Amino acid sequence: DNMRCLKCNFNILCYRNVKWDNSIDYMYLRNNYLNPDKLILKLIESTNYCSYCCQCTWIDTLDDISISPNDTNQPQWVCIGHN
Protein backbone atom coordinates (compact mmCIF):
# COMPACT_ATOMS: atom_id res chain seq x y z
CA ASP A 1 0.00 0.00 0.00
CA ASN A 2 3.03 2.25 -0.27
CA MET A 3 4.27 2.38 -3.86
CA ARG A 4 5.90 5.11 -5.93
CA CYS A 5 6.31 5.56 -9.66
CA LEU A 6 9.86 5.71 -11.00
CA LYS A 7 8.75 7.82 -13.99
CA CYS A 8 6.75 10.64 -12.37
CA ASN A 9 7.91 10.16 -8.75
CA PHE A 10 4.35 10.27 -7.37
CA ASN A 11 2.76 7.82 -4.94
CA ILE A 12 0.38 5.21 -6.32
CA LEU A 13 -3.29 5.73 -5.48
CA CYS A 14 -5.59 2.74 -5.08
CA TYR A 15 -9.38 2.69 -5.45
CA ARG A 16 -11.29 -0.47 -4.54
CA ASN A 17 -14.39 -1.93 -6.22
CA VAL A 18 -14.06 0.34 -9.24
CA LYS A 19 -12.29 0.30 -12.59
CA TRP A 20 -11.16 3.08 -14.89
CA ASP A 21 -13.52 4.41 -17.50
CA ASN A 22 -12.28 3.89 -21.07
CA SER A 23 -11.94 7.66 -21.47
CA ILE A 24 -9.14 7.98 -18.89
CA ASP A 25 -5.90 9.22 -20.42
CA TYR A 26 -2.47 10.56 -19.54
CA MET A 27 -3.45 14.24 -19.60
CA TYR A 28 -6.46 13.67 -17.37
CA LEU A 29 -4.27 12.01 -14.74
CA ARG A 30 -1.57 14.61 -15.15
CA ASN A 31 -4.03 17.46 -14.55
CA ASN A 32 -6.16 15.82 -11.85
CA TYR A 33 -3.92 13.51 -9.82
CA LEU A 34 -4.03 15.87 -6.84
CA ASN A 35 -7.81 16.27 -7.09
CA PRO A 36 -9.54 13.05 -5.93
CA ASP A 37 -12.99 14.56 -6.62
CA LYS A 38 -12.12 14.74 -10.31
CA LEU A 39 -10.35 11.39 -10.43
CA ILE A 40 -13.39 9.52 -9.15
CA LEU A 41 -15.40 10.91 -12.07
CA LYS A 42 -13.42 8.52 -14.28
CA LEU A 43 -14.08 5.45 -12.12
CA ILE A 44 -16.91 2.98 -12.71
CA GLU A 45 -18.31 0.81 -9.95
CA SER A 46 -17.15 -2.75 -10.52
CA THR A 47 -17.09 -5.29 -7.70
CA ASN A 48 -13.76 -6.91 -6.88
CA TYR A 49 -11.71 -4.62 -9.11
CA CYS A 50 -8.86 -2.48 -7.83
CA SER A 51 -7.79 0.56 -9.81
CA TYR A 52 -4.38 2.11 -9.43
CA CYS A 53 -2.78 5.26 -10.75
CA CYS A 54 0.08 7.65 -10.40
CA GLN A 55 0.36 10.89 -12.33
CA CYS A 56 1.41 9.16 -15.56
CA THR A 57 0.03 5.58 -15.56
CA TRP A 58 -3.13 3.73 -14.62
CA ILE A 59 -4.27 0.11 -14.42
CA ASP A 60 -7.19 -1.83 -13.01
CA THR A 61 -7.23 -5.49 -12.13
CA LEU A 62 -9.34 -8.28 -10.69
CA ASP A 63 -6.29 -10.19 -9.45
CA ASP A 64 -3.23 -9.39 -7.39
CA ILE A 65 -0.54 -7.92 -9.55
CA SER A 66 3.19 -8.38 -9.50
CA ILE A 67 5.06 -5.27 -10.60
CA SER A 68 8.68 -5.43 -11.69
CA PRO A 69 10.46 -2.17 -12.52
CA ASN A 70 12.64 -4.20 -14.91
CA ASP A 71 9.64 -5.12 -17.09
CA THR A 72 9.10 -2.23 -19.51
CA ASN A 73 5.61 -3.52 -20.39
CA GLN A 74 4.39 -2.83 -16.84
CA PRO A 75 4.08 0.35 -14.81
CA GLN A 76 7.41 1.41 -13.36
CA TRP A 77 6.27 1.22 -9.72
CA VAL A 78 8.30 0.18 -6.68
CA CYS A 79 7.52 -0.49 -3.02
CA ILE A 80 8.81 2.28 -0.75
CA GLY A 81 8.12 0.51 2.55
CA HIS A 82 5.23 -0.79 4.58
CA ASN A 83 3.00 1.10 6.98
Side-chain angles (χ1 to χ4, degrees), residues 14-69:
C14 176
Y15 297 93
R16 300 189 191 291
N17 293 313
V18 291
K19 63 181 181 177
W20 293 109
D21 183 85
N22 289 336
S23 66
I24 191 76
D25 62 17
Y26 171 82
M27 287 307 296
Y28 192 85
L29 286 177
R30 186 93 179 142
N31 292 328
N32 296 296
Y33 173 84
L34 296 175
N35 188 343
D37 292 335
K38 286 203 175 182
L39 279 182
I40 62 171
L41 296 175
K42 295 290 185 176
L43 291 165
I44 302 166
E45 193 173 323
S46 191
T47 305
N48 297 324
Y49 267 86
C50 281
S51 295
Y52 302 89
C53 75
C54 56
Q55 196 181 32
C56 69
T57 306
W58 66 96
I59 61 172
D60 48 40
T61 181
L62 278 168
D63 300 314
D64 290 339
I65 56 173
S66 176
I67 301 289
S68 170

Side-chain angles (χ1 to χ4, degrees), residues 64-82:
D64 290 339
I65 56 173
S66 176
I67 301 289
S68 170
N70 299 325
D71 185 345
T72 57
N73 293 322
Q74 293 184 5
Q76 300 298 293
W77 297 344
V78 294
C79 177
I80 58 172
H82 299 273

